[in-house]
Amino acid sequence: MDAAVTQRHTASFLPKIAPDKNERNKSTINSRMMEPHQAGLVSHKCDQLLSKAEISLFKNSIMQNICVEMLQEGFHRSYSELFFLLSYDRHRRESAELGSDLSLQTPLEEQKDKLTIMRKYLSRAEQAERTNTWTVVCEQRLFLGGYFSSKEDLWISFHFYHSCAEREHGGRSRPATEARACLAELYLQTGDLERAQEQAELCIDQGEEGGWLDSDGRPLRLRGHLALWKVYSRMADSLLEAEDYEEALKMLHTGYNTAIKTEDRQVEVEAAYQLGLAYQSAGDHDTAKQFFNTCMQIYGTLEDGDGLGRTYKAIAKSLESEEKLNETVQCLETLADISRGNGLQHHLVDAYLSLGNICYKRSEYQRALEFFQQGYEISCELRDVSRLERAQVFVATARARCLIRKYSTDVESATPTAMKRLLAWRETREPQDFSVDSSDDTDHTINQ
């Protein structure tokens, strides 16, 4: 028995040496006849054997993998640029104060989607450089500038737009010119008016030379004029705040001429309206009304009810400043009609409150109260807190004036009926509504 056990163990440990062809065929046949679940186990074990490259995807960071891939593919310039951006991002976050928005931002090196996009388009740009296809180079960088449009990524957007617009080769191409327009708009957004003006003027120059259209089919020169008008408008705002009306008006006239060149009537009318307001602030109401009349014509052509409403309010203000109250009332009544017809309730409130103020100045307190009350009711419907608060003050003031006038008249007349009204008011302390005519002896209760 021991001999048999020994024989079995020996046979099981000794390998088969040089099996003949028939045995190999049998082994193959047997493997093919293996149970399906057994074959699946063998396949699963093979799938578990990963390559070194696959292992690195799990072992290394996102940044490392993308940088290695760029180097392996031969895009050394793209790698250097990406590495520079990652280093700059790390430096700016480390320099930020603890707890600030910048310090709390997710590091760029951990944002896989953004890194993947940069790798893709930077590699395309470098490939195009090798074939001297400069327009394609600029197109890739223009795309990257637009891709990083969020507030936290504006610095990246600036980088790619500048690298597109300022290239020695391709710097006057269509995408490079569009990058100039984008830079002008970005500098406007960040408040750097001097650089915005510089980029807008370059965009106009290159756009006129090449006749380029932007990605949306708009002429780039017109887009440049629009950005330049906004620059002049912002500059004029600062001058108006400082009450430097002479320089502000010069700037606004330059802006108005630029606005006309945009070939956009909406932009042109906004520039004219701004000029009118500036002349109004400077006290030149005649010139202001000339520009407001221009606005009325353009807004009428555009069928812009809101613009018409704003213009009528501005004209009414100038007329009132000139103490032309009858003309002011006519202007405000026209404003009220336009506002009712176009459903512009916010303008209707302003018209009623302004009409009430004029009546109040004329000591027509009862009529003023009626206008104020109408403005108050519409403000309640709109739920416009600012206008509602103004209307409440006006209504209260007008009511007080009406009551004081009636009680004063009763005190002066000293008739028995008037004395009864005064005594009743003293006892109840409740407001009483009296008719405008002091001879009317009928009491009316005011609804509070």
Side-chain angles (χ1 to χ4, degrees):
M1 182 175 179
D2 292 339
V5 172
T6 303
Q7 184 178 3
R8 285 200 301 272
H9 279 279
T10 303
S12 62
F13 279 103
L14 291 175
K16 294 181 180 180
I17 300 174
D20 58 22
K21 184 176 181 180
N22 291 334
E23 288 181 348
R24 287 199 301 270
N25 290 339
K26 287 180 183 179
S27 175
T28 303
I29 293 171
N30 289 337
S31 66
R32 289 175 181 172
M33 295 176 64
M34 189 182 301
E35 293 295 330
H37 69 277
Q38 293 175 324
L41 291 173
V42 173
S43 175
H44 179 65
K45 290 179 180 179
C46 293
D47 290 342
Q48 289 179 330
L49 299 176
L50 301 176
S51 66
K52 184 182 293 186
E54 290 172 328
I55 291 172
S56 68
L57 291 176
F58 297 95
K59 182 179 179 182
N60 298 332
S61 67
I62 298 169
M63 177 194 71
Q64 288 175 312
N65 289 326
I66 286 178
C67 289
V68 167
E69 288 169 359
M70 293 175 80
L71 290 172
Q72 288 176 337
E73 293 168 1
F75 296 113
H76 300 282
R77 290 184 182 178
S78 300
Y79 160 77
S80 297
E81 187 170 354
L82 178 59
F83 189 80
F84 163 76
L85 291 172
L86 293 171
S87 300
Y88 183 78
D89 177 64
R90 192 179 305 112
H91 172 73
R92 62 196 287 270
R93 284 185 295 99
E94 290 173 351
S95 302
E97 295 182 5
L98 291 176
S100 64
D101 292 340
L102 179 56
S103 67
L104 297 174
Q105 285 180 8
T106 303
L108 181 60
E109 62 188 35
E110 296 178 12
Q111 301 183 61
K112 182 179 179 181
D113 292 343
K114 294 178 181 178
L115 294 177
T116 302
I117 286 291
M118 281 196 282
R119 172 203 167 191
K120 177 180 177 180
Y121 285 89
L122 283 175
S123 299
R124 285 182 180 180
E126 186 172 348
Q127 183 65 44
E129 281 187 51
R130 294 170 183 172
T131 59
N132 297 330
T133 317
W134 305 114
T135 301
V136 176
V137 173
C138 292
E139 284 174 350
Q140 308 310 308
R141 293 184 172 277
L142 177 66
F143 174 85
L144 286 171
Y147 178 82
F148 293 95
S149 58
S150 63
K151 184 178 179 181
E152 66 179 27
D153 291 333
L154 283 185
W155 67 276
I156 308 178
S157 186
F158 273 117
H159 169 82
F160 285 119
Y161 280 141
H162 273 292
S163 69
C164 173
E166 296 170 0
R167 301 193 69 79
E168 181 180 356
H169 300 288
R172 300 186 74 84
S173 63
R174 188 210 64 77
T177 305
E178 184 169 350
R180 297 280 187 194
C182 295
L183 281 169
E185 291 159 1
L186 278 183
Y187 280 123
L188 269 169
Q189 184 178 336
T190 57
D192 192 337
L193 300 182
E194 186 176 341
R195 290 188 178 181
Q197 180 179 357
E198 177 188 0
Q199 294 298 330
E201 289 173 347
L202 286 169
C203 174
I204 293 168
D205 177 57
Q206 294 177 197
E208 288 178 345
E209 178 185 321
W212 307 118
L213 303 178
D214 68 6
S215 303
D216 297 326
R218 295 176 297 174
L220 278 166
R221 63 180 178 83
L222 301 185
R223 190 167 162 185
H225 281 303
L226 176 60
L228 191 57
W229 166 68
K230 291 180 179 178
V231 169
Y232 291 136
S233 178
R234 295 266 193 92
M235 289 179 173
D237 286 340
S238 300
L239 293 168
L240 287 171
E241 287 179 8
E243 298 184 356
D244 188 350
Y245 297 116
E246 184 177 354
E247 289 300 318
L249 288 169
K250 287 180 182 178
M251 189 69 68
L252 287 173
H253 274 288
T254 305
Y256 180 63
N257 293 330
T258 304
I260 293 173
K261 293 177 183 178
T262 65
E263 299 178 10
D264 186 330
R265 296 288 275 174
Q266 192 68 48
V267 175
E268 180 183 345
V269 73
E270 288 299 320
Y273 181 74
Q274 192 176 15
L275 253 174
L277 292 179
Y279 275 111
Q280 189 178 75
S281 299
D284 187 348
H285 296 288
D286 288 336
T287 308
K289 285 184 288 185
Q290 291 176 14
F291 280 101
F292 291 144
N293 287 331
T294 300
C295 292
M296 289 174 62
Q297 294 172 4
I298 299 176
Y299 279 132
T301 303
L302 297 174
E303 298 182 353
D304 186 340
D306 184 66
L308 276 173
R310 287 192 298 139
T311 305
Y312 270 106
K313 283 193 288 187
I315 292 174
K317 184 176 179 180
S318 284
L319 289 170
E320 188 175 2
S321 298
E322 295 174 317
E323 298 185 356
K324 299 177 180 179
L325 296 184
N326 290 332
E327 294 180 37
T328 305
V329 169
Q330 291 176 2
C331 183
L332 290 171
E333 288 175 346
T334 303
L335 170 61
D337 292 338
I338 292 173
S339 301
R340 276 193 296 268
N342 291 277
L344 301 170
Q345 299 296 83
H346 56 293
H347 286 323
L348 187 56
V349 172
D350 293 339
Y352 282 143
L353 296 183
S354 296
L355 284 167
N357 275 321
I358 291 174
C359 293
Y360 190 88
K361 289 178 181 178
R362 289 174 165 178
S363 299
E364 299 172 2
Y365 300 124
Q366 188 61 43
R367 192 179 179 199
L369 176 58
E370 292 171 2
F371 282 124
F372 290 148
Q373 188 70 40
Q374 287 177 295
Y376 170 75
E377 290 170 0
I378 298 172
S379 297
C380 290
E381 294 173 5
L382 290 176
R383 297 184 179 181
D384 186 326
V385 176
S386 176
R387 286 183 169 87
L388 181 59
E389 289 176 345
R390 287 177 59 219
Q392 284 176 326
V393 173
F394 290 150
V395 168
T397 304
R399 278 187 175 177
R401 279 290 186 179
C402 290
L403 290 170
I404 290 171
R405 170 173 284 185
K406 307 311 178 293
Y407 289 128
S408 298
T409 303
D410 280 345
V411 170
E412 291 174 2
S413 66
T415 61
T417 305
M419 295 303 294
K420 287 180 182 179
R421 280 198 295 262
L422 291 171
L423 289 171
W425 172 78
R426 180 185 177 189
E427 291 174 358
T428 60
R429 294 296 186 186
E430 292 179 359
Q432 301 292 318
D433 184 17
F434 299 91
S435 65
V436 177
D437 186 3
S438 60
S439 63
D440 187 358
D441 295 332
T442 307
D443 295 344
H444 302 279
T445 304
I446 297 177
N447 295 322
Q448 297 296 324

